[in-house]
Amino acid sequence: MIYRGELPCRAVPFVIEFSIVTQGFFYRTAVNIVTFKGVEAMAEKPENAKEGNGFMIKVATFIVDRRNLFFLLFGIAIIFSLVSMNWVNVENAMSAYLPGTTETRQGLDRMEEQFITYGTAKVMVTNISYDEALKISEKLEKLDTVIMLSFDNTTEHYHNFSALFDLTFGYEETDERALEALEEVKEMLSDYDIYVSTSMGDASAEQIASEMQVISVLVAVVVVSVLLFTSQTWAEVPVLLLTFISAALITKGTNFLMGTISFVSNSVTIVLQLALSIDYAVIFCNRYKEEHQKLPIREADIVALSKAIPEISSSSLTTVGGLIAMMFMQFGIGSDMALCLIRAILLSLLGVFLLMPGLLMLFGNAMDKTVHKSFIPQIPFVGKFAYMTRHVMPPLFLLVIIAAYVVSSHCPYVYGYSMIETPVQSDAMVVDEMIEESFGSSNMVALTVPAGNYEKEKKLLRELDAMEEVDYTMGLANTEAMDGYMLTDKLTIRDFSELLEMDYEIVELLYMAYAVNDENYAKIVNGLSSYSVPLIDMFMFLYDEVDEGYVTLEDDLMDTLEEAHTKMQIALDQLQGEEYSRMLVYLTLPEEGEETFAFLEKMHEVANKYYEDANILIPGEATSQYDLYKTFQKDNKVVNVVSILAVLVVLLFTFMSAGMPVLLIMVIQGVIWINFSFPALQEKNLFFMSYLIVSSIQMGANIDYAIVISGRFMELKDKMSKKDAIIETMNFAFPTIVTSGSMLALAGIFIGKMSSDGAICGIGQCLGRGTIISIIMVMFVLPQILLLGEKVIDKTSFAVSIPLKLERGSGLMRVDGIVQGQINGTIIGEVHGLVRGEASLFVNMGKMEQVEDDGSDLKLLQQKEEQGNE
């Protein structure tokens, strides 16, 4: 039996021949793959080899031969996705993902149930005199859509030839008519230099979407460039791109299945999907090119797919494991993003396994015609450097990661956007910054307490106003109504009659009717002269009586009542609900920080003095960031532990060694600490969510680079010297690492440099920097660790040898599997072929069975022998 085939040893291909004498003549066996000490040798495969070559071969054959069916299915899915991608709802508020147990989440729910929040806007007009500002104020007040306007000659509203108008519109914040009213104001002031700040609409979301479109185009250019640089045939690039684009479109189109996704997931999922999953297509394409060196297109496609499915599926588990850790976060945006990315990776796997085999068949001939020299150089110097410094780099790296751990623990995390600087500023950020420079910033929280006791509210507001941390407060109890009276001040009959200049007798009858309506008959019996009623309650009662026709007023008094009723109704809608009252407290403190968080606790203590055992809530930006701070303390530990455990489990079963996973995780965790030491050293604030997300992605995705190097080294170290093994390993791993790593790093850098959103920007910056550090460490530190620790890895191995069954046979037999034994000689390897003669083999991971000997197989082999000789 003569075998002639090429062993692709990556850098140095060579040809071997061996022969076995069987029954007096040389016999060429039909060998598909023979493995000698782990090195793959490739040869021709007979046309009928697809029959019975194992489960994966059958699956791969079905996929390749039914490629038109999969083309149709993917085409339908893509068309559907182009329509359905518009169905998804995007949540733009971070607070929506806070746990239901947090004060912010409960407070927002309470305010939504109890109060009406009208649309508001701050309009700054620059380069005008105060007299011009007054005229503008009068024009704005005449607009029917504006129900409240705040403007005066204080520095809070006019400063440095700039006027600031606080507008409240007559529609709820979510009502489209409020935006239309704002557009009317902009149109009115179009001749002036105006700057508008508002929480209405989705201007920020639209800008983020616009930014991500630009980023996606740039990342696409980078991907094409990297693929062209790392390719071996020009025609493989469209195969890879079509595979990814199809998966990306379907991912985008299936977002609606989640109902609502966060703006973060909506923005970065596709870019991260590209960076995380392009490896899968590259691995399959490389496997196909290897098989195609000796096999026709179809057979090479089948064999490559049968090997790629388990290989790629195993590789994806570390990434999925890291993402699963994000699902354990209390902060719901972690689960949201994890589910989006895991779904994206699974769809990428389906694209590679089901669509790409057909594309390889479609572009196979073009790939053969467009072969070119690889542009990626060999890097033997890296392996030589690793061998020379194997005793130096590991202890040095240990010192570095210890220092990095200490430094990164002081990373200045923040929980809101007010203290984050982004390379790009949105239009809204520019406007807010200009307003803040001229009129200062405001930090408002809403204090909600049980309703019904105006005296307690008045005392509470007075105590808060006296604190140096409070700029001013606003509630029913301290809002002026008329002539120095507050809305909740109690007025007697005489006070009310003098205020509105009404006849005493009419007001007395009105108070009597109010007492009857309030079922306060004791006041009627004991006399009404001392009976006092809160001003706002009496005004609203009087308005109802006039509206129902029980009371008639003069025109002037009726106009006064109408105007007062409008303003009081707005105040009631915003500040008093059926069960709770709301007070607005404007702080002199920043939105976050230890002092701010401590004062929030103090506010609770003060409010509890007046409302014992009451469920007092203080929603606001400061409270939201305090809640995020508290959840981060827990999420940080959970995400780290779960991501390490998830990846550890995958690595344990991948390498069957306890030592290898520990070494690899130590390297990647060290990279994470180094990565987050940079913000600490630069004293640059980092949004907390960036750490949670990027550390999970790094642990799951960047460790793949380490797996590529470690797996190859462990395979080669027993076949050659350690020095040659590490040199060969680095030459082998470099193309994969430079392809995947450059894409992920550049994607992160583009996101970090071109996004105006603090959370998205932080994710990009940390991901780009972290990936670059990972590449450096696995190229220049991990090899030394492997050289120094390979004995520990071997000693901690728990791979179990599977007992082999000795099978005997004679005549024509099909041998399929990794075998060891004698065929009138000795063969050790992975054999897929036919043997005529006597065989005594240990068969592992395969089978040996008798087949009918009709001579056809021998004739086929003889023909191939003749072709080979030619």
Side-chain angles (χ1 to χ4, degrees):
M1 177 170 59
I2 300 177
Y3 171 78
R4 180 181 295 140
E6 183 175 300
L7 270 74
C9 293
R10 301 293 175 184
V12 186
F14 59 93
V15 177
I16 67 164
E17 292 187 5
F18 70 93
S19 62
I20 300 176
V21 180
T22 303
Q23 296 179 355
F25 63 90
F26 282 89
Y27 179 79
R28 177 187 291 264
T29 184
V31 180
N32 177 31
I33 300 176
V34 180
T35 302
F36 297 93
K37 296 185 180 179
V39 181
E40 292 183 351
M42 304 177 61
E44 292 180 297
K45 176 183 177 181
E47 295 176 1
N48 65 347
K50 66 179 182 180
E51 300 173 5
N53 273 356
F55 176 74
M56 291 311 303
I57 287 289
K58 293 179 180 178
V59 171
T61 303
F62 175 81
I63 293 172
V64 172
D65 289 346
R66 299 293 185 272
R67 56 188 176 277
N68 289 330
L69 170 63
F70 291 110
F71 285 156
L72 176 63
L73 293 176
F74 271 84
I76 294 172
I78 290 170
I79 294 172
F80 174 79
S81 296
L82 292 173
V83 177
S84 63
M85 65 176 57
N86 298 314
W87 299 350
V88 67
N89 296 317
V90 179
E91 177 57 65
N92 297 309
M94 285 281 189
S95 56
Y97 293 93
L98 282 167
T101 55
T102 59
E103 184 175 5
T104 300
R105 184 70 265 151
Q106 294 179 12
L108 292 175
D109 292 342
R110 176 181 291 178
M111 290 198 297
E112 186 176 346
E113 295 170 2
Q114 297 282 320
F115 311 105
I116 295 175
T117 301
Y118 289 100
T120 60
K122 291 180 180 289
V123 179
M124 185 175 75
V125 184
T126 59
N127 303 317
I128 59 171
S129 65
Y130 180 72
D131 291 337
E132 288 179 290
L134 279 177
K135 292 178 182 178
I136 292 174
S137 177
E138 292 171 358
K139 289 181 181 180
L140 292 173
E141 282 184 327
K142 292 178 181 178
L143 293 176
D144 295 335
T145 54
V146 177
I147 58 174
M148 188 177 295
L149 170 67
S150 296
F151 178 75
D152 52 39
N153 61 354
T154 64
T155 55
E156 294 180 356
H157 290 98
Y158 186 81
H159 183 64
N160 287 340
F161 297 99
S162 297
L164 182 64
F165 303 95
D166 288 322
L167 302 177
T168 301
F169 301 103
Y171 310 103
E172 291 189 43
E173 190 175 39
T174 55
D175 195 324
E176 287 294 326
R177 291 175 295 178
L179 286 172
E180 293 172 2
L182 180 58
E183 290 300 320
E184 183 181 6
V185 171
K186 292 180 180 179
E187 181 65 27
M188 176 184 291
L189 303 177
S190 59
D191 294 334
Y192 297 92
D193 297 327
I194 64 170
Y195 303 90
V196 180
S197 175
T198 181
S199 59
M200 299 187 299
D202 295 322
S204 60
E206 292 172 1
Q207 177 144 352
I208 291 172
S210 176
E211 292 169 352
M212 292 309 301
Q213 288 176 356
V214 176
I215 292 171
S216 298
V217 171
L218 290 175
V219 170
V221 172
V222 168
V223 168
V224 173
S225 302
V226 171
L227 291 179
L228 287 173
F229 178 74
T230 58
S231 67
Q232 294 176 336
T233 70
W234 300 122
E236 73 184 61
V237 176
V239 173
L240 298 173
L241 291 178
L242 286 173
T243 302
F244 171 73
I245 291 171
S246 300
L249 288 175
I250 297 173
T251 298
K252 194 81 172 174
T254 54
N255 280 339
F256 78 95
L257 297 174
M258 295 182 64
T260 300
I261 64 173
S262 70
F263 72 95
V264 178
S265 300
N266 188 57
S267 300
V268 303
T269 295
I270 298 301
V271 176
L272 292 183
Q273 178 186 11
L274 169 61
L276 292 174
S277 62
I278 196 70
D279 281 357
Y280 310 146
V282 172
I283 290 172
F284 180 29
C285 187
N286 289 340
R287 176 64 75 177
Y288 164 78
K289 287 181 291 185
E290 288 179 4
E291 299 294 343
H292 188 42
Q293 291 179 13
K294 288 297 179 180
L295 296 175
I297 293 175
R298 175 178 172 276
E299 284 72 14
D301 201 0
I302 292 173
V303 174
L305 181 59
S306 69
K307 296 179 179 179
I309 290 177
E311 180 181 355
I312 295 173
S313 299
S314 176
S315 174
S316 68
L317 287 178
T318 55
T319 305
V320 172
L323 294 174
I324 286 175
M326 293 166 58
M327 299 178 66
F328 287 83
M329 290 169 55
Q330 293 183 87
F331 190 36
I333 209 166
S335 296
D336 177 84
M337 195 166 183
L339 289 173
C340 285
L341 285 173
I342 290 173
R343 177 165 44 85
I345 288 173
L346 294 178
L347 289 172
S348 296
L349 289 175
L350 289 178
V352 171
F353 295 155
L354 302 180
L355 177 63
M356 190 171 169
L359 293 175
L360 288 173
M361 292 291 295
L362 197 62
F363 286 84
N365 290 327
M367 291 174 64
D368 291 342
K369 297 176 182 178
T370 59
V371 175
H372 63 83
K373 183 179 179 181
S374 176
F375 300 114
I376 300 180
Q378 296 290 303
I379 53 168
F381 64 90
V382 174
K384 293 176 182 177
F385 172 79
Y387 190 78
M388 291 172 56
T389 59
R390 64 189 183 280
H391 297 294
V392 177
M393 294 302 292
L396 182 61
F397 176 69
L398 184 61
L399 293 176
V400 170
I401 64 173
I402 291 174
Y405 170 75
V406 175
V407 175
S408 64
S409 63
H410 295 90
C411 185
Y413 297 113
V414 293
Y415 308 91
Y417 288 177
S418 62
M419 300 175 67
I420 296 178
E421 295 182 5
T422 57
V424 177
Q425 285 190 312
S426 65
D427 295 339
M429 293 168 66
V430 172
V431 170
D432 289 341
E433 187 174 308
M434 291 184 65
I435 293 176
E436 184 176 338
E437 287 178 358
S438 297
F439 301 99
S441 60
S442 61
N443 178 16
M444 185 269 289
V445 294
L447 174 61
T448 60
V449 298
N453 194 320
Y454 293 142
E455 287 300 319
K456 286 185 178 181
E457 291 181 27
K458 186 174 184 179
K459 293 178 181 178
L460 175 56
L461 289 170
R462 186 178 298 152
E463 183 171 351
L464 290 173
D465 272 323
M467 296 180 176
E468 62 180 10
E469 295 91 348
V470 176
D471 187 10
Y472 65 95
T473 62
M474 183 184 298
L476 291 178
N478 66 353
T479 299
E480 184 176 353
M482 301 172 64
D483 294 348
Y485 286 110
M486 301 300 165
L487 287 173
T488 61
D489 284 351
K490 290 186 175 182
L491 276 65
T492 62
I493 298 174
R494 184 164 301 281
D495 294 333
F496 195 78
S497 66
E498 291 176 354
L499 178 64
L500 294 184
E501 298 180 355
M502 292 177 62
D503 290 341
Y504 183 88
E505 291 76 11
I506 295 176
V507 176
E508 186 176 33
L509 291 173
L510 183 65
Y511 268 62
M512 185 180 296
Y514 183 89
V516 171
N517 185 71
D518 199 35
E519 298 182 357
N520 194 350
Y521 303 111
K523 291 294 182 181
I524 300 176
V525 173
N526 296 329
L528 295 171
S529 59
S530 61
Y531 184 32
S532 58
V533 177
L535 174 61
I536 190 170
D537 292 347
M538 185 54 67
F539 252 103
M540 302 306 289
F541 181 73
L542 175 58
Y543 183 86
D544 291 340
E545 295 295 296
V546 171
D547 190 52
E548 293 177 9
Y550 297 125
V551 177
T552 303
L553 302 177
E554 297 178 359
D555 290 344
D556 291 345
L557 188 56
M558 191 64 201
D559 290 342
T560 301
L561 181 62
E562 287 280 1
E563 183 180 353
H565 173 267
T566 299
K567 293 181 178 180
M568 290 181 183
Q569 187 61 56
I570 293 171
L572 284 173
D573 289 342
Q574 298 187 93
L575 300 175
Q576 188 175 61
E578 294 182 2
E579 300 175 8
Y580 293 93
S581 290
R582 175 166 63 175
M583 291 170 268
L584 307 182
V585 183
Y586 291 83
L587 306 179
T588 59
L589 302 171
E591 287 186 353
E592 66 177 285
E594 293 182 5
E595 188 179 1
T596 303
F597 298 158
F599 185 70
L600 291 174
E601 297 289 350
K602 186 176 181 180
M603 285 181 63
H604 275 284
E605 294 175 7
V606 173
N608 284 328
K609 290 194 305 184
Y610 299 95
Y611 301 91
E612 295 182 6
D613 300 325
N615 184 19
I616 296 170
L617 299 174
I618 312 178
E621 278 298 322
T623 305
S624 173
Q625 291 168 32
Y626 189 26
D627 287 334
L628 290 172
Y629 164 77
K630 289 185 286 188
T631 59
F632 176 65
Q633 307 309 307
K634 298 179 181 177
D635 287 345
N636 186 19
K637 297 176 183 177
V638 171
V639 168
N640 284 336
V641 172
V642 174
S643 62
I644 290 174
L645 289 178
V647 173
L648 180 63
V649 170
V650 174
L651 295 179
L652 279 173
F653 287 97
T654 299
F655 291 101
M656 292 296 180
S657 168
M660 179 67 84
V662 173
L663 292 178
L664 298 188
I665 288 176
M666 180 184 70
V667 171
I668 299 303
Q669 185 61 56
V671 168
I672 293 173
W673 288 333
I674 295 171
N675 186 14
F676 289 96
S677 296
F678 280 81
L681 294 173
Q682 296 169 343
E683 297 183 351
K684 184 178 180 181
N685 292 333
L686 178 68
F687 194 61
F688 79 102
M689 192 176 69
S690 303
Y691 171 78
L692 295 174
I693 292 174
V694 172
S695 61
S696 297
I697 292 176
Q698 274 196 264
M699 181 57 71
N702 290 171
I703 204 166
D704 283 348
Y705 311 152
I707 292 174
V708 171
I709 293 175
S710 304
R712 189 67 171 182
F713 175 73
M714 297 306 292
E715 179 183 330
L716 298 178
K717 69 183 182 66
D718 294 328
K719 303 170 187 175
M720 56 186 76
S721 68
K722 301 295 187 295
K723 181 177 180 180
D724 292 339
I726 202 64
I727 292 174
E728 173 62 24
T729 294
M730 301 314 295
N731 284 332
F732 165 80
F734 182 62
T736 301
I737 295 174
V738 75
T739 302
S740 173
S742 60
M743 290 182 187
L744 186 57
L746 289 171
I749 290 171
F750 283 138
I751 293 173
K753 291 292 185 183
M754 302 183 66
S755 177
S756 60
D757 182 85
I760 297 174
C761 175
I763 291 172
Q765 290 174 343
C766 295
L767 187 60
R769 182 177 61 240
T771 302
I772 293 173
I773 297 172
S774 295
I775 293 173
I776 294 173
M777 291 302 165
V778 299
M779 292 292 292
F780 296 99
V781 175
L782 178 62
Q784 289 89 326
I785 293 176
L786 293 174
L787 286 167
L788 204 61
E790 55 100 6
K791 292 183 179 179
V792 175
I793 296 170
D794 288 339
K795 290 181 179 179
T796 57
S797 174
F798 52 86
V800 179
S801 298
I802 301 175
L804 300 180
K805 178 182 178 183
L806 180 62
E807 299 186 20
R808 300 178 183 274
S810 61
L812 184 63
M813 292 156 287
R814 184 184 303 281
V815 179
D816 186 6
I818 300 174
V819 301
Q820 178 178 349
Q822 293 183 343
I823 309 177
N824 283 341
T826 301
I827 180 172
I828 300 176
E830 184 178 345
V831 178
H832 299 278
L834 301 170
V835 174
R836 183 188 295 277
E838 295 181 357
S840 177
L841 304 172
F842 288 106
V843 181
N844 182 19
M845 298 177 62
K847 61 185 177 180
M848 185 177 78
E849 60 184 5
Q850 293 286 149
V851 295
E852 184 178 352
D853 186 0
D854 58 3
S856 60
D857 294 290
L858 181 58
K859 292 178 181 179
L860 176 62
L861 295 173
Q862 290 173 340
Q863 292 174 3
K864 289 187 175 292
E865 169 67 16
E866 294 171 359
Q867 293 174 0
N869 291 333
E870 293 175 357

mmCIF file of all heavy atoms in Angstrom, residues 695-716:
data_model
loop_
_atom_site.group_PDB
_atom_site.id
_atom_site.type_symbol
_atom_site.label_atom_id
_atom_site.label_comp_id
_atom_site.label_asym_id
_atom_site.label_seq_id
_atom_site.Cartn_x
_atom_site.Cartn_y
_atom_site.Cartn_z
ATOM 1 N N SER A 695 -15.353 43.901 30.276
ATOM 2 C CA SER A 695 -14.657 42.817 30.972
ATOM 3 C C SER A 695 -15.258 41.467 30.607
ATOM 4 O O SER A 695 -14.533 40.469 30.458
ATOM 5 C CB SER A 695 -14.703 43.031 32.490
ATOM 6 O OG SER A 695 -16.031 43.037 32.972
ATOM 7 N N SER A 696 -16.580 41.409 30.434
ATOM 8 C CA SER A 696 -17.221 40.157 30.026
ATOM 9 C C SER A 696 -16.824 39.771 28.612
ATOM 10 O O SER A 696 -16.523 38.610 28.327
ATOM 11 C CB SER A 696 -18.752 40.298 30.114
ATOM 12 O OG SER A 696 -19.161 40.541 31.438
ATOM 13 N N ILE A 697 -16.822 40.758 27.695
ATOM 14 C CA ILE A 697 -16.455 40.474 26.303
ATOM 15 C C ILE A 697 -14.988 40.071 26.210
ATOM 16 O O ILE A 697 -14.629 39.131 25.483
ATOM 17 C CB ILE A 697 -16.742 41.700 25.424
ATOM 18 C CG1 ILE A 697 -18.256 41.936 25.335
ATOM 19 C CG2 ILE A 697 -16.163 41.509 24.022
ATOM 20 C CD1 ILE A 697 -18.636 43.190 24.564
ATOM 21 N N GLN A 698 -14.126 40.757 26.948
ATOM 22 C CA GLN A 698 -12.701 40.398 26.932
ATOM 23 C C GLN A 698 -12.476 38.977 27.429
ATOM 24 O O GLN A 698 -11.723 38.209 26.831
ATOM 25 C CB GLN A 698 -11.903 41.380 27.793
ATOM 26 C CG GLN A 698 -11.468 42.638 27.065
ATOM 27 C CD GLN A 698 -10.384 43.377 27.822
ATOM 28 O OE1 GLN A 698 -10.669 44.310 28.557
ATOM 29 N NE2 GLN A 698 -9.146 42.977 27.627
ATOM 30 N N MET A 699 -13.125 38.641 28.534
ATOM 31 C CA MET A 699 -12.928 37.305 29.089
ATOM 32 C C MET A 699 -13.446 36.244 28.131
ATOM 33 O O MET A 699 -12.842 35.168 27.983
ATOM 34 C CB MET A 699 -13.647 37.192 30.438
ATOM 35 C CG MET A 699 -13.479 35.839 31.127
ATOM 36 S SD MET A 699 -11.739 35.391 31.395
ATOM 37 C CE MET A 699 -11.301 36.560 32.682
ATOM 38 N N GLY A 700 -14.527 36.529 27.420
ATOM 39 C CA GLY A 700 -15.102 35.529 26.537
ATOM 40 C C GLY A 700 -14.482 35.481 25.157
ATOM 41 O O GLY A 700 -14.329 34.403 24.576
ATOM 42 N N ALA A 701 -14.127 36.653 24.608
ATOM 43 C CA ALA A 701 -13.664 36.707 23.215
ATOM 44 C C ALA A 701 -12.146 36.722 23.096
ATOM 45 O O ALA A 701 -11.573 35.982 22.284
ATOM 46 C CB ALA A 701 -14.254 37.946 22.538
ATOM 47 N N ASN A 702 -11.465 37.562 23.870
ATOM 48 C CA ASN A 702 -10.013 37.669 23.733
ATOM 49 C C ASN A 702 -9.291 36.404 24.144
ATOM 50 O O ASN A 702 -8.161 36.158 23.703
ATOM 51 C CB ASN A 702 -9.482 38.847 24.557
ATOM 52 C CG ASN A 702 -9.880 40.193 23.988
ATOM 53 O OD1 ASN A 702 -9.672 41.218 24.605
ATOM 54 N ND2 ASN A 702 -10.495 40.207 22.795
ATOM 55 N N ILE A 703 -9.941 35.584 24.970
ATOM 56 C CA ILE A 703 -9.275 34.351 25.388
ATOM 57 C C ILE A 703 -9.148 33.374 24.224
ATOM 58 O O ILE A 703 -8.338 32.440 24.274
ATOM 59 C CB ILE A 703 -10.027 33.706 26.581
ATOM 60 C CG1 ILE A 703 -9.070 32.820 27.374
ATOM 61 C CG2 ILE A 703 -11.251 32.931 26.104
ATOM 62 C CD1 ILE A 703 -9.591 32.412 28.725
ATOM 63 N N ASP A 704 -9.938 33.593 23.165
ATOM 64 C CA ASP A 704 -9.793 32.750 21.980
ATOM 65 C C ASP A 704 -8.385 32.850 21.396
ATOM 66 O O ASP A 704 -7.857 31.871 20.866
ATOM 67 C CB ASP A 704 -10.821 33.160 20.912
ATOM 68 C CG ASP A 704 -12.215 32.645 21.239
ATOM 69 O OD1 ASP A 704 -12.325 31.798 22.146
ATOM 70 O OD2 ASP A 704 -13.171 33.075 20.590
ATOM 71 N N TYR A 705 -7.794 34.048 21.468
ATOM 72 C CA TYR A 705 -6.427 34.200 20.952
ATOM 73 C C TYR A 705 -5.477 33.290 21.739
ATOM 74 O O TYR A 705 -4.598 32.635 21.166
ATOM 75 C CB TYR A 705 -5.954 35.646 21.071
ATOM 76 C CG TYR A 705 -6.921 36.677 20.545
ATOM 77 C CD1 TYR A 705 -6.951 37.970 21.067
ATOM 78 C CD2 TYR A 705 -7.811 36.372 19.517
ATOM 79 C CE1 TYR A 705 -7.829 38.922 20.581
ATOM 80 C CE2 TYR A 705 -8.695 37.321 19.039
ATOM 81 C CZ TYR A 705 -8.712 38.592 19.575
ATOM 82 O OH TYR A 705 -9.585 39.531 19.100
ATOM 83 N N ALA A 706 -5.670 33.278 23.052
ATOM 84 C CA ALA A 706 -4.827 32.439 23.901
ATOM 85 C C ALA A 706 -5.060 30.955 23.619
ATOM 86 O O ALA A 706 -4.123 30.144 23.663
ATOM 87 C CB ALA A 706 -5.107 32.744 25.373
ATOM 88 N N ILE A 707 -6.302 30.592 23.316
ATOM 89 C CA ILE A 707 -6.617 29.185 23.030
ATOM 90 C C ILE A 707 -5.914 28.727 21.753
ATOM 91 O O ILE A 707 -5.388 27.612 21.676
ATOM 92 C CB ILE A 707 -8.142 29.002 22.913
ATOM 93 C CG1 ILE A 707 -8.801 29.217 24.281
ATOM 94 C CG2 ILE A 707 -8.488 27.627 22.367
ATOM 95 C CD1 ILE A 707 -10.310 29.200 24.243
ATOM 96 N N VAL A 708 -5.906 29.596 20.731
ATOM 97 C CA VAL A 708 -5.256 29.245 19.464
ATOM 98 C C VAL A 708 -3.785 28.924 19.698
ATOM 99 O O VAL A 708 -3.258 27.906 19.215
ATOM 100 C CB VAL A 708 -5.400 30.405 18.452
ATOM 101 C CG1 VAL A 708 -4.534 30.138 17.220
ATOM 102 C CG2 VAL A 708 -6.855 30.567 18.040
ATOM 103 N N ILE A 709 -3.102 29.773 20.447
ATOM 104 C CA ILE A 709 -1.671 29.573 20.703
ATOM 105 C C ILE A 709 -1.445 28.351 21.584
ATOM 106 O O ILE A 709 -0.581 27.499 21.294
ATOM 107 C CB ILE A 709 -1.071 30.838 21.355
ATOM 108 C CG1 ILE A 709 -1.086 31.991 20.350
ATOM 109 C CG2 ILE A 709 0.348 30.576 21.846
ATOM 110 C CD1 ILE A 709 -0.638 33.313 20.936
ATOM 111 N N SER A 710 -2.211 28.237 22.656
ATOM 112 C CA SER A 710 -2.012 27.136 23.603
ATOM 113 C C SER A 710 -2.284 25.790 22.966
ATOM 114 O O SER A 710 -1.518 24.827 23.153
ATOM 115 C CB SER A 710 -2.927 27.336 24.820
ATOM 116 O OG SER A 710 -2.699 28.589 25.410
ATOM 117 N N GLY A 711 -3.378 25.707 22.212
ATOM 118 C CA GLY A 711 -3.717 24.435 21.575
ATOM 119 C C GLY A 711 -2.660 23.980 20.606
ATOM 120 O O GLY A 711 -2.285 22.802 20.575
ATOM 121 N N ARG A 712 -2.147 24.906 19.812
ATOM 122 C CA ARG A 712 -1.137 24.535 18.825
ATOM 123 C C ARG A 712 0.178 24.120 19.503
ATOM 124 O O ARG A 712 0.831 23.152 19.086
ATOM 125 C CB ARG A 712 -0.882 25.720 17.882
ATOM 126 C CG ARG A 712 -0.017 25.389 16.693
ATOM 127 C CD ARG A 712 -0.733 24.424 15.757
ATOM 128 N NE ARG A 712 -0.033 24.250 14.501
ATOM 129 C CZ ARG A 712 -0.466 23.497 13.497
ATOM 130 N NH1 ARG A 712 -1.612 22.857 13.613
ATOM 131 N NH2 ARG A 712 0.222 23.385 12.388
ATOM 132 N N PHE A 713 0.557 24.847 20.546
ATOM 133 C CA PHE A 713 1.811 24.526 21.229
ATOM 134 C C PHE A 713 1.738 23.149 21.888
ATOM 135 O O PHE A 713 2.690 22.364 21.801
ATOM 136 C CB PHE A 713 2.126 25.592 22.272
ATOM 137 C CG PHE A 713 3.335 25.276 23.100
ATOM 138 C CD1 PHE A 713 4.612 25.374 22.562
ATOM 139 C CD2 PHE A 713 3.203 24.851 24.422
ATOM 140 C CE1 PHE A 713 5.738 25.062 23.320
ATOM 141 C CE2 PHE A 713 4.317 24.542 25.182
ATOM 142 C CZ PHE A 713 5.586 24.644 24.621
ATOM 143 N N MET A 714 0.628 22.846 22.535
ATOM 144 C CA MET A 714 0.488 21.553 23.200
ATOM 145 C C MET A 714 0.504 20.414 22.191
ATOM 146 O O MET A 714 0.907 19.295 22.494
ATOM 147 C CB MET A 714 -0.803 21.524 24.024
ATOM 148 C CG MET A 714 -0.842 22.530 25.163
ATOM 149 S SD MET A 714 0.566 22.414 26.288
ATOM 150 C CE MET A 714 0.244 20.816 27.036
ATOM 151 N N GLU A 715 0.079 20.724 20.970
ATOM 152 C CA GLU A 715 0.080 19.721 19.917
ATOM 153 C C GLU A 715 1.486 19.458 19.382
ATOM 154 O O GLU A 715 1.836 18.329 19.024
ATOM 155 C CB GLU A 715 -0.838 20.202 18.781
ATOM 156 C CG GLU A 715 -0.931 19.261 17.586
ATOM 157 C CD GLU A 715 -1.795 19.829 16.491
ATOM 158 O OE1 GLU A 715 -2.740 20.589 16.794
ATOM 159 O OE2 GLU A 715 -1.520 19.533 15.312
ATOM 160 N N LEU A 716 2.321 20.500 19.374
ATOM 161 C CA LEU A 716 3.644 20.379 18.742
ATOM 162 C C LEU A 716 4.781 20.074 19.704
ATOM 163 O O LEU A 716 5.851 19.630 19.280
ATOM 164 C CB LEU A 716 3.981 21.677 17.985
ATOM 165 C CG LEU A 716 3.062 22.073 16.827
ATOM 166 C CD1 LEU A 716 3.520 23.391 16.229
ATOM 167 C CD2 LEU A 716 3.036 20.982 15.759
#
